Amino acid sequence: MEPKVTKFDLIILGASGFTGKYVLKEALKFLNKSPLNSIAIAGRNPTKLSQTLKWASNPNPPPTITILLADTSDPSSLRSLCSQTRLILNCVGPFRLHGESVVSACVDSGCDYLDICGDPEFMERMESDYHDRAGETGSLVVSACGFDSVPAELGLLFNSLQWVGPAVPNRVEAYVSLESRKRIVGNFATYESAVLGVANAKDLQAFRRSRPRRRPRPQIPGPSPSKGQTIEHQKKIGLWAVVLPSADASVVRRTLSTLTEKPNGLPGSNESSETVQKREAFWSLVKPAHFGVKIGSKSLFGILRIIMVGICIGL
């Protein structure tokens, strides 16, 4: 395959959305100050994209950044995007409705794909349907690179490297606390993703059972953790907490399962001998553990309010 001539290091798709505008704001901080030298933004509405660029660059004048038109329901526009960049950062959700067309275009073109998805079903279906093809074209498809699930996964990996046997924990629990000096806001796409996730929970379980080859479970020494109390009070950290049904635990389990199959990590293309040594040294120190996530609040009333929100989403 001949090397593809690209124009941009990165294209942010859906940059005018609720999350996309913050992604753009952060990306501008690294523009021309890192290997990130050229970016473009894409979406359906050029006026909104232009307004977002002004907002993201404030108080400075907006930089000269190309605005491209693209729609997740228009495969030709997505193929055009992929032909102009090495990486698509997809911020268009809910991903179970709008994500597959972008993954498909990236995989077919050999372009890398990155998203902020927190939907386990979408991630697992994309892996099942596009893994082999992505391997053929050299496309790297990575999901959950946002609040779901970077803190959880990197947090577990970092702490795992510090453990020294035989005193190695076999259980890790992460606590998410929604406390802010400013008001906490949400957006419709996140709400819609949550509703669709709950509504299709049975489909995810059926999909996992239907896969001809199931991932091996990591060998974790010691007893399996109990479910514990529905609502717990962690006095040491001053939090009331309840289980958070997020993608974090699923993502961590998939990583540990992959590590069971490939103890030295996943090899990249054209790795140098030094890179191979570093990769193998890193992954050999990772110790698997049971992992769970809970959402916390400083007051019991805060937890009851979270439970009510969960009930409303379920209904």
Side-chain angles (χ1 to χ4, degrees):
M1 179 183 296
E2 294 184 359
K4 182 177 63 174
V5 178
T6 57
K7 184 177 180 180
F8 304 107
D9 295 322
L10 167 70
I11 293 179
I12 303 173
L13 177 60
S16 61
F18 180 87
T19 304
K21 64 181 183 180
Y22 289 101
V23 171
L24 175 60
K25 186 173 184 178
E26 293 301 313
L28 292 179
K29 296 178 182 179
F30 295 93
L31 189 60
N32 299 321
K33 298 178 182 179
S34 70
L36 187 65
N37 293 315
S38 58
I39 69 173
I41 56 177
R44 294 179 299 177
N45 190 319
T47 301
K48 286 186 177 181
L49 289 169
S50 179
Q51 293 171 347
T52 298
L53 182 57
K54 292 180 181 179
W55 175 88
S57 56
N58 187 56
N60 301 315
T64 303
I65 289 180
T66 302
I67 294 177
L68 303 170
L69 294 182
D71 192 324
T72 57
S73 63
D74 181 4
S76 63
S77 69
L78 297 178
R79 288 193 296 270
S80 175
L81 285 187
C82 294
S83 68
Q84 300 179 66
T85 186
R86 290 192 292 268
L87 172 65
I88 297 286
L89 201 166
N90 186 18
C91 299
V92 181
F95 290 93
R96 68 167 60 237
L97 300 181
H98 307 293
E100 182 171 2
S101 58
V102 187
V103 172
S104 177
C106 288
V107 168
D108 285 344
S109 67
C111 171
D112 291 337
Y113 170 94
L114 194 68
D115 73 28
I116 54 173
C117 177
D119 182 344
E121 184 181 1
F122 171 78
M123 291 185 278
E124 293 181 29
R125 286 189 184 278
M126 294 305 98
E127 179 188 10
S128 175
D129 294 346
Y130 294 97
H131 177 80
D132 293 340
R133 176 62 175 159
E136 295 172 358
T137 62
S139 174
L140 186 63
V141 179
V142 183
S143 285
C145 284
F147 192 67
D148 282 338
S149 299
V150 170
E153 185 151 37
L154 293 189
L156 175 68
L157 293 178
F158 174 81
N159 284 281
S160 173
L161 297 181
Q162 319 307 315
W163 301 336
V164 179
V168 175
N170 82 329
R171 175 182 181 182
V172 175
E173 289 185 344
Y175 290 83
V176 179
S177 178
L178 296 181
E179 307 291 342
S180 175
R181 294 179 181 177
K182 300 180 179 180
R183 64 189 182 97
I184 299 173
V185 299
N187 64 90
F188 181 75
T190 300
Y191 170 77
E192 189 177 12
S193 295
V195 171
L196 290 172
V198 173
N200 294 278
K202 291 183 178 179
D203 291 342
L204 173 58
Q205 298 303 320
F207 170 72
R208 286 173 174 171
R209 290 192 297 268
S210 69
R211 298 193 66 173
R213 177 175 171 274
R214 303 187 69 178
R215 286 181 175 273
R217 292 187 178 184
Q219 298 300 314
I220 303 174
S224 298
S226 61
K227 291 184 178 180
Q229 299 175 325
T230 302
I231 300 178
E232 66 176 48
H233 187 200
Q234 286 287 352
K235 295 181 180 179
K236 289 184 178 180
I237 56 178
L239 285 180
W240 293 84
V242 65
V243 172
L244 177 64
S246 70
D248 292 341
S250 174
V251 168
V252 168
R253 283 195 298 268
R254 289 175 62 208
T255 296
L256 296 178
S257 294
T258 301
L259 188 59
T260 302
E261 293 181 299
K262 299 183 181 296
N264 294 322
L266 296 175
S269 59
N270 302 319
E271 284 184 321
S272 66
S273 58
E274 181 182 2
T275 301
V276 172
Q277 291 178 355
K278 288 183 178 180
R279 169 171 55 79
E280 293 180 350
F282 174 85
W283 289 107
S284 66
L285 295 176
V286 174
K287 297 116 184 143
H290 298 286
F291 184 81
V293 184
K294 296 185 178 181
I295 186 169
S297 175
K298 293 181 179 179
S299 69
L300 178 59
F301 175 75
I303 284 296
L304 295 177
R305 186 168 54 184
I306 291 170
I307 291 175
M308 290 303 300
V309 171
I311 292 173
C312 290
I313 289 175
L315 292 175

